[in-house]
Amino acid sequence: MRKRYVLLVLTILVGLALLAVDNYTQEINTTLSENQAAEADYYGEGLYNRRFNAQGQLEQTFAATRSTHYPLTNSTVFNQPRINVQDEDGQYWLVSAAEGSMNDKDDLLRLRRDVEIRPQQEDAPEQVNIQTPALDYYTRAQLAITDQPVVILHPSSRMTAIGMRIDLKKQRMELNAKVNTRYVPQ
Amino acid sequence: LPQDAEQEMVIFSDTAEIDRKAGIVIYKGNVVLTQGTLTIESDRLMILRNDDVLEKAVAEGKPAVFKQQLSVDQGLTTAEGQRIDYFALRKEIHIKGQGRLLQEGNEFNGEKITYDMTRERILATSANDEGIASERIKVVIQPKAEGTSQP
Protein backbone atom coordinates (compact mmCIF):
# COMPACT_ATOMS: atom_id res chain seq x y z
CA MET A 1 0.00 0.00 0.00
CA ARG A 2 2.89 2.40 0.96
CA LYS A 3 4.75 1.58 -2.32
CA ARG A 4 1.70 2.45 -4.41
CA TYR A 5 1.24 5.69 -2.48
CA VAL A 6 4.88 6.71 -3.03
CA LEU A 7 4.59 5.79 -6.74
CA LEU A 8 1.47 7.99 -7.09
CA VAL A 9 3.19 11.00 -5.48
CA LEU A 10 6.22 10.52 -7.74
CA THR A 11 4.06 10.46 -10.90
CA ILE A 12 2.24 13.63 -9.82
CA LEU A 13 5.57 15.35 -9.19
CA VAL A 14 6.90 14.33 -12.61
CA GLY A 15 3.66 15.50 -14.24
CA LEU A 16 3.94 18.90 -12.54
CA ALA A 17 7.54 19.20 -13.62
CA LEU A 18 6.61 18.44 -17.22
CA LEU A 19 3.84 21.05 -17.09
CA ALA A 20 6.27 23.66 -15.78
CA VAL A 21 8.77 22.90 -18.52
CA ASP A 22 6.03 23.09 -21.15
CA ASN A 23 4.85 26.45 -19.82
CA TYR A 24 8.36 27.80 -19.78
CA THR A 25 9.08 26.82 -23.39
CA GLN A 26 5.78 28.29 -24.56
CA GLU A 27 6.63 31.59 -22.93
CA ILE A 28 9.93 31.69 -24.67
CA ASN A 29 8.24 30.93 -27.98
CA THR A 30 5.66 33.66 -27.56
CA THR A 31 8.25 36.25 -26.52
CA LEU A 32 10.37 35.06 -29.40
CA SER A 33 7.50 35.33 -31.89
CA GLU A 34 6.44 38.67 -30.45
CA ASN A 35 9.96 39.90 -30.76
CA GLN A 36 10.19 38.47 -34.24
CA ALA A 37 6.90 40.14 -35.29
CA ALA A 38 8.03 43.44 -33.76
CA GLU A 39 11.21 43.19 -35.77
CA ALA A 40 11.55 44.97 -39.08
CA ASP A 41 10.95 42.92 -42.17
CA TYR A 42 12.78 45.25 -44.56
CA TYR A 43 15.21 48.16 -44.47
CA GLY A 44 15.68 50.77 -47.20
CA GLU A 45 18.63 53.11 -47.74
CA GLY A 46 18.39 56.36 -49.71
CA LEU A 47 14.64 56.27 -50.34
CA TYR A 48 13.45 58.59 -53.13
CA ASN A 49 9.82 58.76 -54.24
CA ARG A 50 8.17 61.07 -56.80
CA ARG A 51 4.47 61.82 -57.29
CA PHE A 52 2.98 63.41 -60.40
CA ASN A 53 -0.40 65.16 -60.73
CA ALA A 54 -3.08 64.35 -63.29
CA GLN A 55 -1.37 66.66 -65.82
CA GLY A 56 1.85 64.72 -65.46
CA GLN A 57 3.67 67.49 -63.60
CA LEU A 58 5.94 66.66 -60.71
CA GLU A 59 3.87 67.55 -57.68
CA GLN A 60 5.83 66.16 -54.77
CA THR A 61 9.02 64.26 -54.00
CA PHE A 62 9.74 62.32 -50.81
CA ALA A 63 13.18 61.26 -49.69
CA ALA A 64 14.66 59.67 -46.55
CA THR A 65 18.14 58.52 -45.68
CA ARG A 66 16.72 55.29 -44.28
CA SER A 67 13.36 53.53 -44.04
CA THR A 68 12.44 50.61 -41.79
CA HIS A 69 9.18 48.67 -42.19
CA TYR A 70 7.50 46.86 -39.25
CA PRO A 71 4.94 44.15 -40.13
CA LEU A 72 3.40 44.10 -36.64
CA THR A 73 2.18 47.67 -36.92
CA ASN A 74 2.13 47.85 -40.75
CA SER A 75 4.13 51.05 -40.54
CA THR A 76 7.40 52.47 -41.78
CA VAL A 77 9.84 54.68 -39.88
CA PHE A 78 11.94 57.14 -41.89
CA ASN A 79 15.19 58.83 -40.93
CA GLN A 80 15.71 62.46 -42.11
CA PRO A 81 12.47 62.54 -44.17
CA ARG A 82 12.34 65.42 -46.67
CA ILE A 83 9.30 66.32 -48.73
CA ASN A 84 9.40 68.79 -51.60
CA VAL A 85 5.94 70.09 -52.39
CA GLN A 86 4.78 72.59 -55.02
CA ASP A 87 2.33 75.39 -54.18
CA GLU A 88 -0.21 76.87 -56.55
CA ASP A 89 2.30 79.43 -57.81
CA GLY A 90 4.76 76.73 -58.71
CA GLN A 91 7.11 77.52 -55.84
CA TYR A 92 8.62 74.47 -54.11
CA TRP A 93 8.59 74.10 -50.34
CA LEU A 94 10.75 71.77 -48.30
CA VAL A 95 9.25 69.97 -45.29
CA SER A 96 11.93 68.18 -43.26
CA ALA A 97 12.38 66.50 -39.88
CA ALA A 98 14.72 64.23 -37.93
CA GLU A 99 12.27 61.34 -38.05
CA GLY A 100 8.93 60.37 -39.57
CA SER A 101 6.53 57.46 -39.55
CA MET A 102 3.67 56.39 -41.75
CA ASN A 103 1.12 53.58 -41.76
CA ASP A 104 1.04 51.52 -44.94
CA LYS A 105 -2.43 52.46 -46.06
CA ASP A 106 -2.26 56.08 -44.87
CA ASP A 107 -1.32 59.36 -46.49
CA LEU A 108 -0.51 60.80 -43.02
CA LEU A 109 3.18 61.27 -42.38
CA ARG A 110 3.94 61.93 -38.70
CA LEU A 111 7.03 64.10 -38.53
CA ARG A 112 8.90 64.38 -35.26
CA ARG A 113 11.88 66.43 -33.95
CA ASP A 114 13.34 69.50 -35.69
CA VAL A 115 10.43 69.83 -38.07
CA GLU A 116 10.95 72.68 -40.51
CA ILE A 117 9.06 74.14 -43.47
CA ARG A 118 10.82 76.60 -45.75
CA PRO A 119 11.15 77.53 -49.42
CA GLN A 120 13.27 74.99 -51.27
CA GLN A 121 15.26 77.62 -53.16
CA GLU A 122 17.75 79.42 -50.99
CA ASP A 123 17.19 82.59 -53.06
CA ALA A 124 13.37 82.43 -52.91
CA PRO A 125 11.82 85.92 -52.80
CA GLU A 126 10.42 85.43 -49.31
CA GLN A 127 12.50 83.48 -46.83
CA VAL A 128 9.88 82.18 -44.40
CA ASN A 129 10.99 79.48 -41.98
CA ILE A 130 8.44 77.56 -39.88
CA GLN A 131 9.70 75.44 -36.99
CA THR A 132 7.89 73.07 -34.64
CA PRO A 133 8.77 69.90 -32.69
CA ALA A 134 6.05 67.76 -34.25
CA LEU A 135 3.86 67.94 -37.35
CA ASP A 136 1.30 65.72 -39.00
CA TYR A 137 1.62 66.10 -42.79
CA TYR A 138 -1.18 64.81 -45.06
CA THR A 139 0.73 64.13 -48.25
CA ARG A 140 -2.26 63.97 -50.62
CA ALA A 141 -4.02 67.11 -49.35
CA GLN A 142 -0.66 68.85 -48.71
CA LEU A 143 -1.95 69.95 -45.33
CA ALA A 144 0.28 70.24 -42.24
CA ILE A 145 -1.23 70.29 -38.75
CA THR A 146 0.26 70.52 -35.26
CA ASP A 147 -0.89 71.31 -31.73
CA GLN A 148 2.66 72.07 -30.64
CA PRO A 149 4.45 75.41 -30.28
CA VAL A 150 5.27 77.02 -33.63
CA VAL A 151 7.86 79.65 -34.54
CA ILE A 152 7.58 81.48 -37.88
CA LEU A 153 10.69 83.41 -38.85
CA HIS A 154 10.70 85.98 -41.63
CA PRO A 155 13.39 88.57 -42.43
CA SER A 156 11.24 91.34 -40.91
CA SER A 157 9.04 89.52 -38.45
CA ARG A 158 8.85 86.74 -35.89
CA MET A 159 5.63 84.98 -34.93
CA THR A 160 5.06 82.43 -32.20
CA ALA A 161 1.88 80.51 -31.45
CA ILE A 162 0.54 77.25 -30.13
CA GLY A 163 -0.93 75.01 -32.78
CA MET A 164 -1.07 75.57 -36.52
CA ARG A 165 -2.79 74.39 -39.68
CA ILE A 166 -1.11 75.20 -42.98
CA ASP A 167 -2.33 74.57 -46.51
CA LEU A 168 0.93 74.40 -48.43
CA LYS A 169 -0.80 74.48 -51.82
CA LYS A 170 -2.79 77.65 -51.15
CA GLN A 171 -0.18 79.14 -48.80
CA ARG A 172 -2.79 79.77 -46.12
CA MET A 173 -2.06 79.30 -42.44
CA GLU A 174 -4.12 79.34 -39.24
CA LEU A 175 -2.49 79.79 -35.85
CA ASN A 176 -4.60 78.36 -33.05
CA ALA A 177 -3.64 80.10 -29.80
CA LYS A 178 -1.38 82.58 -28.05
CA VAL A 179 -0.27 84.36 -31.20
CA ASN A 180 2.58 86.81 -30.61
CA THR A 181 3.91 88.77 -33.61
CA ARG A 182 6.90 91.08 -33.76
CA TYR A 183 7.51 93.16 -36.90
CA VAL A 184 10.95 94.70 -36.92
CA PRO A 185 11.33 97.71 -39.27
CA GLN A 186 14.06 97.20 -41.86
CA LEU B 1 4.77 110.30 -32.89
CA PRO B 2 6.38 110.61 -36.32
CA GLN B 3 9.01 108.06 -35.31
CA ASP B 4 6.38 105.49 -34.33
CA ALA B 5 6.62 103.94 -37.79
CA GLU B 6 10.29 103.21 -37.20
CA GLN B 7 9.58 101.30 -33.99
CA GLU B 8 9.05 97.58 -33.63
CA MET B 9 5.40 96.62 -34.00
CA VAL B 10 4.13 93.96 -31.58
CA ILE B 11 0.75 92.24 -31.91
CA PHE B 12 -0.82 89.86 -29.41
CA SER B 13 -3.96 87.87 -30.24
CA ASP B 14 -5.74 84.61 -29.51
CA THR B 15 -5.59 83.29 -33.10
CA ALA B 16 -4.39 84.42 -36.52
CA GLU B 17 -4.94 83.60 -40.18
CA ILE B 18 -2.20 84.29 -42.70
CA ASP B 19 -2.69 84.48 -46.45
CA ARG B 20 0.93 84.63 -47.50
CA LYS B 21 0.23 85.29 -51.17
CA ALA B 22 -2.10 88.19 -50.50
CA GLY B 23 0.22 89.52 -47.78
CA ILE B 24 -2.73 89.71 -45.39
CA VAL B 25 -2.78 88.64 -41.76
CA ILE B 26 -6.04 88.58 -39.76
CA TYR B 27 -5.69 88.51 -36.00
CA LYS B 28 -8.67 87.50 -33.89
CA GLY B 29 -9.54 87.56 -30.18
CA ASN B 30 -8.20 90.11 -27.66
CA VAL B 31 -6.03 91.77 -30.30
CA VAL B 32 -3.55 94.40 -29.08
CA LEU B 33 -1.19 96.15 -31.50
CA THR B 34 1.51 98.47 -30.21
CA GLN B 35 4.09 100.47 -32.14
CA GLY B 36 5.74 103.31 -30.28
CA THR B 37 2.87 105.49 -28.99
CA LEU B 38 0.37 103.83 -31.36
CA THR B 39 -1.99 101.31 -29.78
CA ILE B 40 -4.92 99.52 -31.40
CA GLU B 41 -7.16 97.24 -29.37
CA SER B 42 -9.92 95.23 -31.07
CA ASP B 43 -11.63 91.87 -31.44
CA ARG B 44 -10.39 91.52 -35.00
CA LEU B 45 -7.51 93.17 -36.82
CA MET B 46 -6.56 92.86 -40.47
CA ILE B 47 -3.03 93.95 -41.35
CA LEU B 48 -1.91 94.69 -44.89
CA ARG B 49 1.86 95.08 -45.31
CA ASN B 50 3.80 95.93 -48.42
CA ASP B 51 7.56 95.46 -48.57
CA ASP B 52 7.61 95.06 -44.81
CA VAL B 53 5.87 98.39 -44.24
CA LEU B 54 2.45 98.63 -42.60
CA GLU B 55 0.16 99.97 -45.29
CA LYS B 56 -3.26 99.55 -43.74
CA ALA B 57 -4.84 98.15 -40.58
CA VAL B 58 -8.59 97.50 -40.17
CA ALA B 59 -9.76 97.01 -36.60
CA GLU B 60 -13.23 95.82 -35.63
CA GLY B 61 -14.57 95.60 -32.13
CA LYS B 62 -17.17 96.64 -29.62
CA PRO B 63 -15.65 99.16 -29.86
CA ALA B 64 -12.26 99.04 -31.53
CA VAL B 65 -9.93 101.59 -29.93
CA PHE B 66 -7.09 103.51 -31.58
CA LYS B 67 -4.67 105.65 -29.56
CA GLN B 68 -1.65 107.60 -30.67
CA GLN B 69 0.33 110.67 -29.62
CA LEU B 70 0.57 112.59 -32.85
CA SER B 71 3.16 115.14 -31.81
CA VAL B 72 5.43 115.81 -28.86
CA ASP B 73 3.43 118.81 -27.66
CA GLN B 74 0.08 116.99 -27.80
CA GLY B 75 -1.56 114.41 -25.59
CA LEU B 76 -3.00 111.11 -26.82
CA THR B 77 -5.53 111.14 -29.64
CA THR B 78 -8.14 108.43 -29.06
CA ALA B 79 -10.58 107.07 -31.62
CA GLU B 80 -13.31 104.53 -30.96
CA GLY B 81 -15.80 102.84 -33.24
CA GLN B 82 -17.14 99.53 -34.44
CA ARG B 83 -14.64 99.70 -37.27
CA ILE B 84 -11.46 101.77 -37.64
CA ASP B 85 -9.47 101.86 -40.88
CA TYR B 86 -5.95 103.14 -40.27
CA PHE B 87 -4.08 104.21 -43.43
CA ALA B 88 -0.56 104.32 -42.06
CA LEU B 89 1.14 105.84 -45.11
CA ARG B 90 -1.50 108.56 -45.59
CA LYS B 91 -1.72 109.12 -41.82
CA GLU B 92 -5.48 108.94 -41.96
CA ILE B 93 -8.13 107.08 -39.96
CA HIS B 94 -11.73 106.34 -40.92
CA ILE B 95 -14.04 105.53 -37.97
CA LYS B 96 -17.37 103.86 -38.61
CA GLY B 97 -20.23 102.82 -36.34
CA GLN B 98 -20.78 105.05 -33.27
CA GLY B 99 -17.55 106.85 -34.03
CA ARG B 100 -15.88 108.89 -31.37
CA LEU B 101 -12.70 110.98 -31.58
CA LEU B 102 -11.07 112.58 -28.54
CA GLN B 103 -8.16 115.01 -28.78
CA GLU B 104 -6.92 117.59 -26.29
CA GLY B 105 -10.28 117.50 -24.48
CA ASN B 106 -12.24 118.05 -27.71
CA GLU B 107 -14.72 115.34 -28.63
CA PHE B 108 -16.34 114.49 -31.94
CA ASN B 109 -19.16 111.95 -32.24
CA GLY B 110 -20.71 110.70 -35.47
CA GLU B 111 -21.65 107.62 -37.41
CA LYS B 112 -18.64 108.21 -39.68
CA ILE B 113 -15.54 110.26 -38.81
CA THR B 114 -12.54 110.80 -41.04
CA TYR B 115 -9.41 112.25 -39.46
CA ASP B 116 -6.48 113.46 -41.55
CA MET B 117 -3.65 113.61 -39.03
CA THR B 118 -1.22 115.44 -41.29
CA ARG B 119 -3.55 118.37 -42.00
CA GLU B 120 -5.37 117.92 -38.68
CA ARG B 121 -8.69 117.92 -40.52
CA ILE B 122 -11.75 116.10 -39.12
CA LEU B 123 -14.85 115.25 -41.16
CA ALA B 124 -17.79 113.83 -39.21
CA THR B 125 -21.09 112.72 -40.71
CA SER B 126 -24.20 111.22 -39.15
CA ALA B 127 -25.02 109.00 -42.13
CA ASN B 128 -23.56 105.56 -42.41
CA ASP B 129 -22.38 103.91 -45.64
CA GLU B 130 -25.97 103.31 -46.75
CA GLY B 131 -26.73 107.00 -46.31
CA ILE B 132 -29.02 106.35 -43.35
CA ALA B 133 -28.66 109.04 -40.73
CA SER B 134 -28.95 107.98 -37.13
CA GLU B 135 -27.93 110.38 -34.38
CA ARG B 136 -26.82 113.83 -35.36
CA ILE B 137 -23.14 114.52 -35.03
CA LYS B 138 -21.98 116.04 -31.75
CA VAL B 139 -18.88 118.16 -31.29
CA VAL B 140 -17.53 119.37 -27.97
CA ILE B 141 -14.73 121.96 -28.21
CA GLN B 142 -12.96 122.86 -25.00
CA PRO B 143 -12.56 126.63 -24.55
CA LYS B 144 -8.94 127.74 -24.61
CA ALA B 145 -7.64 128.88 -21.23
CA GLU B 146 -7.32 132.74 -20.80
CA GLY B 147 -4.24 134.35 -22.33
CA THR B 148 -3.53 131.58 -24.84
CA SER B 149 -3.62 132.75 -28.45
CA GLN B 150 -6.26 131.41 -30.76
CA PRO B 151 -4.96 128.95 -33.43
Side-chain angles (χ1 to χ4, degrees):
Chain A
M1 180 48 186
R2 259 171 64 79
K3 265 190 193 155
R4 244 187 257 147
Y5 179 70
V6 165
L7 201 62
L8 177 65
V9 166
L10 272 178
T11 4
I12 291 169
L13 281 177
V14 166
L16 283 172
L18 282 174
L19 261 177
V21 166
D22 184 52
N23 253 334
Y24 178 68
T25 46
Q26 248 184 22
E27 253 166 38
I28 294 175
N29 282 348
T30 39
T31 31
L32 254 182
S33 59
E34 254 167 34
N35 279 350
Q36 270 161 352
E39 267 189 19
D41 59 355
Y42 79 71
Y43 300 88
E45 302 283 343
L47 174 79
Y48 185 67
N49 168 298
R50 286 180 294 175
R51 192 176 77 207
F52 296 86
N53 61 20
Q55 292 74 38
Q57 293 156 328
L58 181 60
E59 189 175 61
Q60 182 174 277
T61 66
F62 174 65
T65 52
R66 183 184 172 87
S67 59
T68 310
H69 183 261
Y70 295 91
L72 185 66
T73 53
N74 278 319
S75 65
T76 305
V77 171
F78 303 100
N79 291 64
Q80 316 287 335
R82 296 164 69 87
I83 306 114
N84 278 299
V85 59
Q86 193 179 33
D87 69 23
E88 278 175 346
D89 293 344
Q91 177 171 330
Y92 277 97
W93 292 82
L94 173 63
V95 184
S96 60
E99 191 178 273
S101 64
M102 194 174 204
N103 293 335
D104 294 355
K105 301 263 177 319
D106 251 349
D107 77 330
L108 165 58
L109 177 60
R110 291 180 177 80
L111 297 170
R112 297 298 179 261
R113 290 191 294 115
D114 308 333
V115 184
E116 204 175 73
I117 303 176
R118 58 177 174 77
Q120 188 198 5
Q121 290 97 337
E122 300 289 339
D123 57 353
E126 221 180 320
Q127 280 304 323
V128 185
N129 187 305
I130 302 165
Q131 299 167 355
T132 182
L135 188 75
D136 285 351
Y137 178 64
Y138 296 84
T139 58
R140 208 150 292 286
Q142 293 177 221
L143 279 177
I145 295 172
T146 183
D147 57 7
Q148 297 294 305
V150 179
V151 178
I152 302 161
L153 299 171
H154 181 274
S156 67
S157 65
R158 184 178 197 278
M159 282 177 110
T160 58
I162 307 290
M164 167 186 77
R165 180 184 186 281
I166 180 170
D167 181 328
L168 279 168
K169 208 172 216 6
K170 292 191 169 66
Q171 284 298 292
R172 290 237 181 88
M173 185 192 303
E174 290 159 24
L175 300 173
N176 300 344
K178 295 191 175 141
V179 183
N180 176 340
T181 310
R182 221 165 268 281
Y183 292 103
V184 182
Q186 298 305 292
Chain B
L1 294 175
Q3 62 267 27
D4 282 348
E6 292 139 27
Q7 310 283 320
E8 185 178 78
M9 178 192 295
V10 179
I11 303 173
F12 291 103
S13 69
D14 292 343
T15 66
E17 288 170 20
I18 301 160
D19 185 332
R20 211 184 60 77
K21 286 195 285 182
I24 288 177
V25 184
I26 297 174
Y27 297 91
K28 291 180 184 172
N30 304 306
V31 187
V32 179
L33 176 152
T34 53
Q35 184 180 40
T37 68
L38 167 64
T39 306
I40 298 178
E41 293 169 17
S42 60
D43 300 332
R44 186 179 189 277
L45 179 70
M46 187 280 290
I47 293 273
L48 182 65
R49 286 166 56 88
N50 230 323
D51 297 334
D52 298 332
V53 173
L54 173 63
E55 191 175 305
K56 179 178 179 184
V58 177
E60 291 169 74
K62 296 183 236 11
V65 180
F66 166 102
K67 290 178 186 164
Q68 188 173 30
Q69 185 181 349
L70 300 182
S71 62
V72 182
D73 54 1
Q74 268 190 10
L76 270 182
T77 293
T78 303
E80 292 176 4
Q82 290 166 3
R83 171 174 167 149
I84 299 176
D85 292 48
Y86 170 51
F87 299 87
L89 303 180
R90 299 194 329 235
K91 287 260 171 283
E92 207 172 286
I93 50 174
H94 296 184
I95 311 161
K96 290 174 191 162
Q98 293 156 4
R100 190 162 168 255
L101 182 68
L102 294 124
Q103 190 185 53
E104 304 287 277
N106 304 324
E107 181 175 340
F108 302 82
N109 291 270
E111 196 52 28
K112 256 174 85 175
I113 301 175
T114 300
Y115 178 38
D116 179 334
M117 302 178 208
T118 314
R119 280 175 267 165
E120 297 212 9
R121 184 179 297 168
I122 297 166
L123 171 66
T125 71
S126 61
N128 59 20
D129 283 344
E130 285 79 41
I132 301 157
S134 51
E135 287 165 26
R136 289 153 57 93
I137 64 167
K138 184 177 116 189
V139 179
V140 177
I141 304 285
Q142 291 300 333
K144 289 286 175 190
E146 281 304 314
T148 52
S149 62
Q150 290 298 319

XYZ file of all heavy atoms in Angstrom, chain A residues 122-159:
300
model
N 17.118 78.557 -51.973
C 17.748 79.424 -50.988
C 17.485 80.884 -51.336
O 17.387 81.732 -50.472
C 19.273 79.173 -50.960
C 19.658 77.746 -50.589
C 19.388 77.425 -49.110
O 19.298 78.408 -48.343
O 19.198 76.259 -48.743
N 17.340 81.169 -52.658
C 17.185 82.587 -53.058
C 15.715 82.921 -53.324
O 15.398 83.835 -54.067
C 18.021 82.857 -54.314
C 17.608 81.901 -55.447
O 16.786 80.979 -55.156
O 18.081 82.061 -56.569
N 14.803 82.163 -52.719
C 13.366 82.433 -52.911
C 13.069 83.864 -52.456
O 13.722 84.359 -51.531
C 12.541 81.436 -52.110
N 12.096 84.512 -53.127
C 11.816 85.919 -52.803
C 11.524 86.150 -51.328
O 11.964 87.121 -50.738
C 10.605 86.257 -53.674
C 10.092 84.961 -54.210
C 11.188 83.976 -54.137
N 10.783 85.197 -50.718
C 10.419 85.429 -49.314
C 10.928 84.273 -48.456
O 10.485 83.148 -48.610
C 8.905 85.517 -49.187
C 8.465 86.604 -48.252
C 6.957 86.655 -48.167
O 6.316 86.486 -49.213
O 6.443 86.810 -47.059
N 11.882 84.551 -47.626
C 12.497 83.480 -46.826
C 11.713 83.285 -45.523
O 12.047 83.841 -44.492
C 13.958 83.830 -46.529
C 14.880 83.529 -47.690
C 14.793 82.077 -48.150
O 14.637 81.150 -47.337
N 14.815 81.867 -49.455
N 10.645 82.494 -45.615
C 9.883 82.177 -44.402
C 10.420 80.851 -43.867
O 10.751 79.973 -44.659
C 8.384 81.985 -44.748
C 7.581 81.783 -43.480
C 7.864 83.143 -45.546
N 10.498 80.725 -42.545
C 10.992 79.475 -41.984
C 10.078 79.123 -40.815
O 9.961 79.888 -39.864
C 12.429 79.657 -41.495
C 13.021 78.341 -41.060
O 12.443 77.660 -40.219
N 14.144 77.960 -41.632
N 9.401 77.964 -40.915
C 8.442 77.562 -39.884
C 9.041 76.390 -39.117
O 9.472 75.411 -39.730
C 7.107 77.149 -40.528
C 6.551 78.300 -41.363
C 6.112 76.708 -39.480
C 5.459 77.907 -42.308
N 9.083 76.508 -37.799
C 9.705 75.444 -36.988
C 8.729 74.960 -35.916
O 7.993 75.761 -35.318
C 10.972 75.993 -36.320
C 12.018 76.447 -37.320
C 13.113 77.276 -36.686
O 13.060 77.610 -35.491
N 14.112 77.625 -37.478
N 8.729 73.634 -35.691
C 7.891 73.074 -34.635
C 8.471 71.709 -34.262
O 9.158 71.097 -35.078
C 6.428 72.931 -35.120
O 5.630 72.428 -34.038
C 6.300 71.988 -36.299
N 8.200 71.195 -33.066
C 8.768 69.898 -32.689
C 8.036 68.704 -33.304
O 8.608 67.625 -33.443
C 8.651 69.877 -31.159
C 7.647 70.892 -30.818
C 7.627 71.899 -31.917
N 6.788 68.906 -33.704
C 6.054 67.760 -34.251
C 5.015 68.265 -35.247
O 4.446 69.347 -35.045
C 5.358 67.006 -33.136
N 4.791 67.479 -36.295
C 3.864 67.937 -37.351
C 3.260 66.720 -38.031
O 3.958 65.745 -38.320
C 4.658 68.752 -38.386
C 3.868 69.471 -39.466
C 3.188 70.698 -38.886
C 4.780 69.888 -40.601
N 1.950 66.774 -38.228
C 1.296 65.720 -39.005
C 1.107 66.246 -40.412
O 0.410 67.272 -40.610
C -0.057 65.367 -38.371
C 0.140 64.538 -37.111
O 1.292 64.110 -36.856
O -0.825 64.351 -36.357
N 1.690 65.599 -41.416
C 1.618 66.100 -42.786
C 0.803 65.127 -43.628
O 1.122 63.940 -43.732
C 3.024 66.239 -43.378
C 3.008 66.696 -44.808
C 2.510 67.951 -45.136
C 3.424 65.859 -45.836
C 2.446 68.368 -46.448
C 3.361 66.269 -47.158
C 2.873 67.526 -47.453
O 2.793 67.935 -48.761
N -0.308 65.623 -44.205
C -1.183 64.812 -45.064
C -0.687 64.983 -46.499
O -0.898 66.035 -47.114
C -2.643 65.243 -44.904
C -3.161 64.987 -43.509
C -2.950 65.905 -42.480
C -3.810 63.796 -43.203
C -3.388 65.652 -41.184
C -4.248 63.531 -41.902
C -4.027 64.470 -40.908
O -4.439 64.213 -39.627
N -0.015 63.962 -46.997
C 0.731 64.131 -48.251
C -0.198 64.389 -49.431
O 0.145 65.132 -50.320
C 1.559 62.859 -48.535
O 0.640 61.751 -48.592
C 2.585 62.615 -47.455
N -1.384 63.773 -49.447
C -2.262 63.970 -50.618
C -2.850 65.378 -50.596
O -2.802 66.107 -51.571
C -3.388 62.919 -50.583
C -3.923 62.568 -51.968
C -4.440 61.135 -52.058
N -3.371 60.138 -51.939
C -2.499 59.894 -52.910
N -2.541 60.592 -54.025
N -1.571 58.976 -52.773
N -3.363 65.807 -49.422
C -4.019 67.115 -49.354
C -2.996 68.231 -49.201
O -3.321 69.405 -49.299
C -4.984 67.123 -48.169
N -1.741 67.861 -48.919
C -0.662 68.846 -48.713
C -1.043 69.807 -47.596
O -0.892 71.015 -47.692
C -0.355 69.601 -50.021
C 0.256 68.671 -51.058
C 0.514 69.347 -52.373
O 0.277 68.757 -53.413
N 0.985 70.569 -52.340
N -1.579 69.197 -46.523
C -1.950 69.948 -45.328
C -1.007 69.544 -44.204
O -0.667 68.381 -44.055
C -3.375 69.594 -44.891
C -4.529 70.261 -45.600
C -5.850 69.700 -45.041
C -4.497 71.758 -45.399
N -0.596 70.537 -43.378
C 0.275 70.239 -42.238
C -0.418 70.764 -40.991
O -0.888 71.899 -40.968
C 1.621 70.912 -42.426
N -0.490 69.934 -39.963
C -1.231 70.289 -38.749
C -0.386 69.937 -37.531
O 0.269 68.892 -37.512
C -2.574 69.518 -38.702
C -3.472 69.964 -39.853
C -3.280 69.739 -37.377
C -4.728 69.154 -40.019
N -0.397 70.833 -36.519
C 0.264 70.519 -35.256
C -0.471 71.202 -34.108
O -1.150 72.215 -34.322
C 1.739 70.984 -35.264
O 2.344 70.575 -34.035
C 1.862 72.487 -35.412
N -0.352 70.641 -32.916
C -0.889 71.310 -31.731
C 0.261 71.757 -30.837
O 0.071 72.115 -29.698
C -1.849 70.381 -30.966
C -1.167 69.078 -30.563
O 0.074 68.959 -30.761
O -1.841 68.176 -30.070
N 1.444 71.724 -31.380
C 2.658 72.067 -30.642
C 3.033 73.539 -30.843
O 2.485 74.191 -31.736
C 3.797 71.182 -31.146
C 3.572 69.703 -30.904
C 3.564 69.372 -29.437
O 4.494 69.679 -28.697
N 2.466 68.800 -28.974
N 3.967 74.043 -30.055
C 4.449 75.413 -30.278
C 5.033 75.567 -31.677
O 5.645 74.634 -32.208
C 5.524 75.573 -29.204
C 5.225 74.557 -28.176
C 4.569 73.410 -28.889
N 4.811 76.737 -32.262
C 5.274 77.016 -33.626
C 6.039 78.345 -33.606
O 5.632 79.277 -32.894
C 4.056 77.151 -34.582
C 4.519 77.465 -35.994
C 3.213 75.899 -34.557
N 7.120 78.392 -34.366
C 7.858 79.654 -34.545
C 7.926 79.909 -36.049
O 8.283 79.007 -36.810
C 9.289 79.562 -33.975
C 10.037 80.877 -34.237
C 9.257 79.254 -32.482
N 7.533 81.123 -36.461
C 7.577 81.480 -37.879
C 8.544 82.638 -38.029
O 8.301 83.738 -37.499
C 6.191 81.868 -38.397
C 5.217 80.720 -38.182
C 6.256 82.260 -39.865
C 3.785 81.125 -38.224
N 9.644 82.385 -38.691
C 10.687 83.415 -38.846
C 10.624 83.968 -40.253
O 10.429 83.238 -41.231
C 12.063 82.793 -38.585
C 12.255 82.203 -37.184
C 13.559 81.412 -37.110
C 12.221 83.306 -36.140
N 10.764 85.281 -40.338
C 10.705 85.984 -41.627
C 11.724 87.105 -41.483
O 11.952 87.569 -40.361
C 9.277 86.530 -41.805
C 9.048 87.259 -43.085
N 9.315 88.593 -43.240
C 8.600 86.828 -44.278
C 9.003 88.954 -44.473
N 8.578 87.903 -45.132
N 12.360 87.534 -42.589
C 13.387 88.573 -42.427
C 12.914 89.766 -41.580
O 13.679 90.346 -40.822
C 13.693 88.984 -43.861
C 13.385 87.773 -44.667
C 12.242 87.093 -43.984
N 11.640 90.127 -41.654
C 11.238 91.343 -40.909
C 10.236 91.055 -39.808
O 9.668 91.966 -39.217
C 10.610 92.347 -41.875
O 9.391 91.796 -42.337
N 10.002 89.770 -39.528
C 9.038 89.520 -38.446
C 9.291 88.161 -37.804
O 9.968 87.307 -38.377
C 7.602 89.542 -38.981
O 7.417 88.460 -39.874
N 8.734 88.018 -36.609
C 8.845 86.739 -35.887
C 7.494 86.485 -35.224
O 6.964 87.364 -34.525
C 9.918 86.842 -34.809
C 10.185 85.556 -34.058
C 11.307 85.776 -33.030
N 11.861 84.515 -32.568
C 11.310 83.752 -31.612
N 10.193 84.155 -31.015
N 11.865 82.625 -31.228
N 6.920 85.309 -35.515
C 5.630 84.978 -34.927
C 5.787 83.707 -34.109
O 6.483 82.778 -34.519
C 4.584 84.707 -36.019
C 3.996 85.902 -36.683
S 2.853 85.396 -37.985
C 1.311 85.896 -37.226
